[in-house]
Amino acid sequence: TNPLSKKMYVTQNLNGWMTEAKMKEWSQHILEKVKFAEDSVKMLVIDRCSSHLKDSVQEELKKKADYLEFIPAGCTSLVQPLDLVVNKPFKDALRNYYDEWLGKVGISEKNKTKNGYLRPPSYINICRWVNNAWNGISPELVKKSFYCGGI
């Protein structure tokens, strides 16, 4: 069994793009489980990715948020909260986990294919790294990201 199964939801598609189906899946498996104070006003701020603009996706999201706001095209790097503050320390932590793995396991002979290529880290390792990196992001940093984005 996956020790992270209660902490994260993992999904994928063949090309790695966010699709209409994946947005609906995210809404049903993640957004629906977010706990809010009963009298809170919920605003969802998303970018203008084509899958976010689909009518069926917007209808789904509007069921879960009082307000659905789109970041203006070309402005994601200026106002998207995670881009402004959270992504760099998160990605730095992921890079550190990968570098540590690469130094210990990644370049060892037992981790090479018959043709000498390195095997990638296991999915469970990647999930652990993502979980640990996210747990290293403080709630205060997330709050700061929204302040910096003017939200």
Side-chain angles (χ1 to χ4, degrees):
T1 63
N2 180 351
L4 301 172
S5 61
K6 293 185 180 187
K7 296 180 182 180
M8 62 183 2
Y9 179 81
V10 179
T11 186
Q12 65 184 27
N13 63 17
L14 290 176
N15 63 16
W17 297 343
M18 180 55 80
T19 63
E20 182 176 3
K22 288 295 171 190
M23 272 304 293
K24 289 180 180 178
E25 185 178 339
W26 174 79
S27 176
Q28 293 163 359
H29 291 279
I30 303 300
L31 189 56
E32 189 152 301
K33 292 177 173 65
V34 175
K35 304 284 187 222
F36 294 99
E38 200 166 305
D39 60 342
S40 67
V41 175
K42 297 168 278 303
M43 179 170 66
L44 183 59
V45 180
I46 56 178
D47 63 21
R48 300 187 67 79
C49 170
S50 62
S51 63
H52 299 168
L53 300 173
K54 302 285 186 186
D55 289 340
S56 64
V57 170
Q58 289 186 38
E59 289 170 19
E60 178 76 25
L61 297 177
K62 286 177 181 176
K63 293 176 191 173
K64 296 169 178 72
D66 299 307
Y67 298 97
L68 179 60
E69 297 294 331
F70 290 93
I71 295 171
C75 295
T76 301
S77 65
L78 302 172
V79 298
Q80 205 276 6
L82 296 182
D83 280 2
L84 293 172
V85 179
V86 175
N87 285 353
K88 179 159 182 12
F90 178 76
K91 289 178 180 181
D92 287 349
L94 286 178
R95 170 58 71 179
N96 289 336
Y97 288 122
Y98 176 77
D99 288 347
E100 182 181 328
W101 171 85
L102 192 62
K104 289 180 181 176
V105 176
I107 57 175
S108 68
E109 285 303 314
K110 68 180 182 178
N111 195 45
K112 290 183 181 177
T113 66
K114 292 177 188 176
N115 294 332
Y117 295 106
L118 295 179
R119 290 188 176 92
S122 69
Y123 286 122
I124 193 68
N125 270 344
I126 294 169
C127 289
R128 282 188 181 112
W129 299 342
V130 168
N131 184 64
N132 292 342
W134 181 252
N135 286 338
I137 302 296
S138 71
E140 291 74 29
L141 191 63
V142 174
K143 289 176 189 174
K144 178 183 176 184
S145 73
F146 281 85
Y147 176 79
C148 290
I151 299 173

